[in-house]
Amino acid sequence: MCIRKGKRLTAKVLLLLSTEQAASVVLATARNLPFLVKKDTQDEMLPCLAEPCSLLVGRLPSSALTELLQQLTGPPQSGGPASHFSSILQNKFGLTLFYMILSQGERLQSSEAASELVEGDRWTELVFAVTRELLNVPEASLAKPSYTPSNLLALFSQYVDRQTLNVLESKLQLSAKPR
């Protein structure tokens, strides 16, 4: 994943792996994303992983989705948690992956599988934590994602008051219009 060919190969291989195997690869990618972002500054090839990751995230069970969000936002090996998550939000692929995870979480909450996702307080705690972090990150430092799911406002509206939701909507440019 540190070289251009490796990122392209990973994007192709993700489509061929079983869900469990692909989930392991994406979890490792999420865990090491700040490092991969630093290595990707010249190539800018990480966005090629967006589509295969999107297909995988759509198939993940709620427990794996929660773990993926935790890996993406979890504390790095060195430095504070804020520096880890902030670097992810400043990368096009990182922000796109983050949006994909939240969007799928919202879909699961809206479906019959909601009880499984809501039963574990980890998901709720993680969404509260990322919401606080999103509110602290300057708008100018946020990357432009490959796409913005339309259901993110619905997700955030379950966790924050109307005023905070308006701030998030303007900061993340989460309106009804697609990007």
Side-chain angles (χ1 to χ4, degrees):
M1 292 285 291
C2 289
I3 59 172
R4 169 175 267 183
K5 287 181 184 179
K7 291 173 196 122
R8 270 199 224 130
L9 181 62
T10 302
K12 291 178 182 179
V13 167
L14 277 175
L15 300 172
L16 303 173
L17 297 174
S18 70
T19 301
E20 295 80 23
Q21 292 169 328
S24 295
V25 172
V26 174
L27 279 169
T29 302
R31 186 176 325 124
N32 296 298
L33 197 54
F35 173 74
L36 294 173
V37 165
K38 287 179 188 175
K39 292 288 187 180
D40 193 54
T41 53
Q42 286 182 315
D43 294 341
E44 294 184 9
M45 286 298 298
L46 278 174
C48 76
L49 292 168
E51 188 176 336
C53 286
S54 176
L55 295 172
L56 172 70
V57 166
R59 297 187 318 231
L60 289 178
S62 61
S63 59
L65 196 66
T66 302
E67 184 171 345
L68 183 57
L69 182 60
Q70 186 172 4
Q71 291 295 325
L72 192 64
T73 61
Q77 287 73 16
S78 62
S83 64
H84 175 84
F85 190 55
S86 293
S87 68
I88 289 170
L89 295 177
Q90 294 172 10
N91 179 267
K92 183 177 186 173
F93 171 70
L95 188 58
T96 302
L97 180 61
F98 172 64
Y99 281 177
M100 283 186 255
I101 296 166
L102 289 180
S103 176
Q104 180 62 17
E106 166 58 20
R107 278 190 215 103
L108 288 176
Q109 279 187 332
S110 301
S111 71
E112 294 101 33
S115 60
E116 186 183 339
L117 190 62
V118 174
E119 277 179 18
D121 289 332
R122 278 177 52 199
W123 177 261
T124 304
E125 291 170 9
L126 287 169
V127 172
F128 276 129
V130 297
T131 302
R132 280 192 304 272
E133 186 63 33
L134 282 170
L135 290 169
N136 292 329
V137 173
E139 185 177 340
S141 68
L142 289 173
K144 300 293 182 210
S146 299
Y147 74 96
T148 303
S150 59
N151 64 347
L152 288 181
L153 274 179
L155 172 79
F156 286 124
S157 69
Q158 297 174 19
Y159 297 98
V160 298
D161 59 36
R162 187 67 196 158
Q163 183 180 4
T164 307
L165 185 63
N166 290 338
V167 171
L168 280 172
E169 181 178 10
S170 74
K171 180 180 273 193
L172 301 176
Q173 299 172 359
L174 297 176
S175 61
K177 64 178 182 180
R179 286 188 178 210

